[in-house]
Amino acid sequence: MRINEERLRQRMDRINAIAVTEEEGMMRLALSDADREARDLLVSWMEEAGMSVRIDDMGTVYGVMKGTDEKALPICVGSHMDTQPNGGKYDGFFGVMAGLEAILSIKESGLELDSDLILADWTNEEGARFVPPMLASGVNAGVFDPQWVYDREDTEGVRYEDELKRIGYQGEKENRLTKAKAYLEPHIEQGPVLDAKGLSCGIVTGALGITGLDITISGEANHAGTTPMSHRKDALVAAAEAISRIRKNCIDFGEPAVITNGIINAQPASKNIVPGTVYFSIDLRYHTDEGMAELEQQTKDIIQKTCDEFGVSVQIEQYWRAKPAVFNETIVGCVEEAANEKNLPAMRIISGAGHDAVFISEIIPTGMIFVPSIKGMSHCPQENTKWEDLVAGTELTADVLVKLDKETI
């Protein structure tokens, strides 16, 4: 399959010209005005291509290209267009544009597929504005309660549902994608493996599970000069020691275990007051349910023991969890076969990042395609992928959609 490279480039450049930061990063936060502008363009391109457009109650946009067999289950491809603050040009967005171009290229080639082809743009995959990530796909898969998602607030106290209505993208529950033959998500790797190995394609077999924890340590705020070291209940010192210990434990646990402390906040945040309360976040990832549960419990135990040593109390709350995903072997095989036919240097790989595909895999047979990220940079303005890899990934997406139409899954 050959794509229209110029059309793909122009459309990607058009959306990536929306809400550009001073550092040349992307700022399309979920349900923002920038997100609405990008959605409007996508919808216009879908309609221009003759696709019917529907929107579900979480704001996910679907474009449908009809197949020839009304009894055949549809095949879905897509990702998301929302970004991190000051994020990159290709995270999520590549999957939507690759899916659109792949569907158009199939149509323009004259091939007739039995299945409808559906392009999906999921809402709030990043979780940068409304926490946690992957809210729309999570509702779609039955992981999250719709009203709980509607009530999620951003840092300004603005509700998800209110913003959904404001930008005009609250659709109907009946429009959710709940049944399909396959779901395929093209994506940049967001890691350094493919680039370091000089490979053009990642055949994604699954994704690490993710556990998110909120940690609040409570000690005693006191005067920085008059409180002897022996009398202190310093929440920040306890937090620092706990973070150091759980990091070492994660390393000792072994790959692919990873731990990240992305946020830390000490109160009362004065230079001459012993911190009385400290909050920090934990993001834990591992590739099996059993290992994830064990690593989470070890992490909690280490934090509790550390806090006991320092005479402070701790509250540990799990704010979300995504189970490790194992993708459908037939779809994985189709990606592998198509990559071999195109002579693309490729390897099987597991995703360290969370994607809408993780939740969708719980209800629909799922697979992913990775293209390389230069130096593994992502979630930042330096995120980049060679144009020839983007083209190859888009053409591969089209080839796989054609293969899936004939497969029994």
Side-chain angles (χ1 to χ4, degrees):
M1 188 67 62
R2 291 291 179 264
I3 65 166
N4 186 328
E5 290 188 37
E6 187 58 30
R7 178 172 59 196
L8 178 64
R9 187 192 297 272
Q10 287 181 357
R11 289 180 170 180
M12 293 184 77
D13 288 348
R14 176 65 186 85
I15 288 184
N16 277 333
I18 300 171
V20 182
T21 68
E22 292 182 0
E23 294 82 14
E24 299 297 317
M26 302 295 105
M27 193 71 172
R28 296 190 305 272
L29 298 183
L31 308 185
S32 64
D33 289 341
D35 186 22
R36 173 172 55 189
E37 186 176 347
R39 287 164 175 259
D40 288 348
L41 281 170
L42 179 64
V43 169
S44 72
W45 294 332
M46 288 174 171
E47 291 175 341
E48 179 184 315
M51 304 170 78
S52 60
V53 178
R54 67 176 193 251
I55 303 167
D56 71 18
D57 52 333
M58 293 295 113
T60 297
V61 179
Y62 308 95
V64 184
M65 186 71 75
K66 293 297 293 181
T68 59
D69 186 351
E70 293 185 357
K71 296 181 180 179
L73 286 173
I75 298 169
C76 184
V77 60
S79 192
H80 63 95
M81 294 202 298
D82 67 311
T83 72
Q84 290 285 336
N86 203 29
K89 292 182 178 180
Y90 301 120
D91 177 10
F93 176 54
F94 166 67
V96 176
M97 300 310 294
L100 176 61
E101 183 58 36
I103 291 172
L104 295 185
S105 297
I106 292 170
K107 177 187 178 183
E108 291 166 358
S109 75
L111 283 174
E112 292 186 346
L113 305 190
D114 292 337
S115 293
D116 292 353
L117 295 180
I118 300 178
L119 176 67
D121 170 29
W122 303 100
T123 304
N124 195 75
E125 190 273 352
E126 293 291 359
R129 185 178 184 193
F130 299 100
V131 179
M134 297 141 56
L135 286 177
S137 57
V139 168
N140 208 78
V143 177
F144 300 131
D145 175 74
Q147 189 59 51
W148 180 81
V149 172
Y150 278 161
D151 290 335
R152 305 308 294 164
E153 295 182 352
D154 66 11
T155 56
E156 304 296 323
V158 180
R159 295 175 65 247
Y160 183 109
E161 184 182 22
D162 294 339
E163 285 294 86
L164 198 59
K165 290 178 178 178
R166 183 186 69 82
I167 69 168
Y169 275 89
Q170 185 177 35
E172 304 298 326
K173 176 181 177 181
E174 292 73 21
N175 289 334
R176 294 182 196 169
L177 180 74
T178 56
K179 185 178 293 186
K181 182 178 184 180
Y183 172 67
L184 179 68
E185 184 163 347
H187 211 282
I188 62 170
E189 183 196 348
Q190 299 182 272
V193 176
L194 297 178
D195 185 52
K197 291 180 178 291
L199 302 177
S200 300
C201 171
I203 303 155
V204 189
T205 59
L208 299 184
I210 308 172
T211 294
L213 301 175
D214 287 323
I215 313 298
T216 303
I217 295 177
S218 300
E220 289 181 357
N222 219 329
H223 196 288
T226 63
T227 310
M229 300 301 286
S230 58
H231 286 65
R232 297 187 180 206
K233 294 185 178 181
D234 190 325
L236 182 56
V237 171
E241 181 66 24
I243 289 171
S244 177
R245 291 177 180 179
I246 59 177
R247 179 182 182 277
K248 182 180 184 304
N249 181 71
C250 183
I251 293 172
D252 292 342
F253 199 84
E255 293 185 352
V258 288
I259 188 168
T260 302
N261 306 110
I263 300 175
I264 185 165
N265 181 17
Q267 296 295 330
S270 172
K271 291 181 179 179
N272 58 5
I273 299 178
V274 176
T277 303
V278 170
Y279 162 84
F280 65 92
S281 63
I282 292 177
D283 181 305
L284 277 176
R285 307 193 184 205
Y286 200 63
H287 69 298
T288 68
D289 260 333
E290 298 79 7
M292 174 65 75
E294 182 180 355
L295 181 58
E296 179 182 352
Q297 190 58 55
Q298 289 180 6
T299 300
K300 290 178 177 178
D301 291 345
I302 290 168
I303 294 171
Q304 183 64 63
K305 181 179 179 180
T306 303
C307 288
D308 290 344
E309 291 176 11
F310 282 84
V312 296
S313 61
V314 62
Q315 182 177 353
I316 302 175
E317 296 182 349
Q318 184 185 100
Y319 68 86
W320 90 301
R321 189 176 193 274
K323 295 190 296 184
V326 177
F327 294 151
N328 181 273
E329 183 57 35
T330 299
I331 300 176
V332 171
C334 281
V335 175
E336 192 164 45
E337 182 180 350
N340 289 336
E341 290 172 354
K342 291 179 69 66
N343 294 316
L344 290 177
M347 66 175 287
R348 290 195 172 207
I349 189 171
I350 190 167
S351 174
H355 303 284
D356 293 305
V358 172
F359 283 153
I360 297 305
S361 69
E362 298 187 21
I363 60 169
I364 295 170
T366 293
M368 291 188 73
I369 294 169
F370 274 174
V371 295
S373 294
I374 297 175
K375 296 182 180 179
M377 302 292 286
S378 186
H379 284 183
C380 61
Q382 293 76 31
E383 176 182 280
N384 200 9
T385 295
K386 295 176 183 177
W387 177 250
E388 55 264 36
D389 287 331
L390 295 174
V391 171
T394 304
E395 291 179 343
L396 181 64
T397 297
D399 290 345
V400 174
L401 293 177
V402 173
K403 285 182 176 294
L404 290 174
D405 185 60
K406 304 306 179 186
E407 282 284 349
T408 300
I409 300 177

